[in-house]
Amino acid sequence: MKHLFLFLLIALSIDGRAQDFSDILRSIEANNTSLEAARIRTEADKLSSKDVYTPENPELGFDYLFGADGIGNRIGFEVSQSFDFPSVISRKRKLAKEMQRVSDLAYLSVRQQLLLKVRKLCIEVVYCNAMMEHLNEDLERTRIISASYNKLFDNGEATIIERNKAHQAALFFQTEYNEHLTMKENLLSELQCMNGGKAIEISDTAFVFSPITQDFDEWLAENICRHPELLLAEGNLEAEKQSLKVAKGSRMPGLKVGYMGEFTRDEKFQGPSIGLSLPLWGSARKVKTARLHVEAAEKSLEDTRLHITTQLRGVYREALQLQETYLRYRKHLVHCDNSSLLQRSLDLGEITLLQYLEELQFVHELHENYLATERDLALRKAELMF
């Protein structure tokens, strides 16, 4: 067990970036089918946003009018195209640009949620690896003891209670080892599914420790501006503001330019035509509606900021408490590990087998709590990465 503690100390001394599983994250980002679908939807939404400033389709009209006898028939046709004034077109282009930005931000939010789930799965795998490594040492030790007490019992030098207790200890550690092995296999299967069916291997047995500071407000001020949900809420507000400008521009008349002609048996008339569309109905309502959407987006941004701040504060508070507990466990396990002392005392006959197994179980539970705390701390830190 000592070599594990030495390995942990070496890992903890690494100048400390948080364990980010970057290779796995890049692979899943490239191969995940749900993320690919989100990318395609984003591109579709960005293309669709161009409809905002695309001119209306040209109109073509044709008339064939029957005249009385001796007058002849009349043929007429018209081609026309409607246009917005340049100022309105400029506003619509800015609106389309904001809509495209919102589509990108929505994709980043989906991506963030997926990568957070991946990080948490990877952390759980590392925890399983650490537990299996620790359990394997206890398992090997209790297997040797169980085999030894089988021989002692056969020679009449140990009681059946001692033999059974040694066997039970080995069985306990074997069962727990198998449980963590199954858990790891299930986690890796889920990661493989998220990686488009491509297998993923994680061999880490310890986490890279990087301490977090006590000042949450300072950390929040430096990091909240990158939070995908907040960026999305800000993007929605900017898009609604631009939509309000477009609604105000809709109160301006629209321009219609075309060419028309009328032909009879004896006469022919043709030439350009110009018209205006007058926004008499509904323009004021559109502006009022757009203003209400802006107000709603402002409230939504305020609510999102408050929700994110409250959530992050709770996660940060939990992380600080877990960090304190983790450091206490680490200090105790490094300086007060009794595993080798217990083995030597048992070999010298200073303690009985039952005493040894009881103390071993206590050491095991302490180390199990230490690894669980280390995992929980890593999970909280993962929620603070965006």
Side-chain angles (χ1 to χ4, degrees), residues 273-291:
S273 64
I274 299 176
L276 293 176
S277 62
L278 302 178
L280 298 178
W281 324 117
S283 59
R285 184 175 64 252
K286 289 180 181 179
V287 172
K288 184 177 180 180
T289 301
R291 282 202 180 99

Side-chain angles (χ1 to χ4, degrees), residues 148-292:
S148 175
Y149 270 82
N150 270 332
K151 292 180 180 179
L152 291 174
F153 175 75
D154 292 339
N155 295 331
E157 300 176 12
T159 66
I160 190 171
I161 293 177
E162 291 175 320
R163 185 198 69 174
N164 291 346
K165 192 68 176 178
H167 176 73
Q168 290 169 4
L171 179 61
F172 168 80
F173 290 118
Q174 181 66 67
T175 301
E176 196 163 349
Y177 180 92
N178 291 340
E179 289 175 354
H180 283 86
L181 178 59
T182 300
M183 186 187 305
K184 174 186 174 179
E185 291 173 347
N186 290 337
L187 291 167
L188 289 175
S189 294
E190 189 170 355
L191 285 170
Q192 180 176 347
C193 177
M194 298 177 72
N195 195 34
K198 298 181 180 179
I200 286 178
E201 289 296 330
I202 301 175
S203 58
D204 295 5
T205 57
F207 298 97
V208 177
F209 177 73
S210 56
I212 57 177
T213 64
Q214 297 288 329
D215 193 340
F216 169 76
D217 293 330
E218 179 182 355
W219 175 88
L220 184 69
E222 294 177 356
N223 293 276
I224 194 173
C225 60
R226 298 194 303 270
H227 199 288
E229 290 186 21
L230 185 63
L231 290 174
L232 180 58
E234 291 173 344
N236 283 327
L237 175 57
E238 291 303 316
E240 294 296 350
K241 287 181 178 179
Q242 198 59 47
S243 182
L244 174 59
K245 292 181 180 180
V246 171
K248 290 179 178 178
S250 69
R251 293 180 295 188
M252 299 177 62
L255 182 64
K256 186 175 183 181
V257 178
Y259 181 86
M260 64 182 301
E262 289 189 1
F263 306 96
T264 64
R265 183 174 56 186
D266 300 322
E267 297 178 317
K268 177 168 63 172
F269 303 92
Q270 58 186 356
S273 64
I274 299 176
L276 293 176
S277 62
L278 302 178
L280 298 178
W281 324 117
S283 59
R285 184 175 64 252
K286 289 180 181 179
V287 172
K288 184 177 180 180
T289 301
R291 282 202 180 99
L292 291 174

Side-chain angles (χ1 to χ4, degrees), residues 56-90:
E56 295 183 7
N57 293 320
E59 297 181 5
L60 176 64
F62 177 80
D63 303 318
Y64 190 90
L65 304 178
F66 298 96
D69 292 341
I71 297 178
N73 301 327
R74 187 179 70 179
I75 299 175
F77 73 91
E78 179 182 2
V79 178
S80 62
Q81 174 68 59
S82 297
F83 296 97
D84 289 318
F85 281 97
S87 59
V88 177
I89 294 176
S90 176

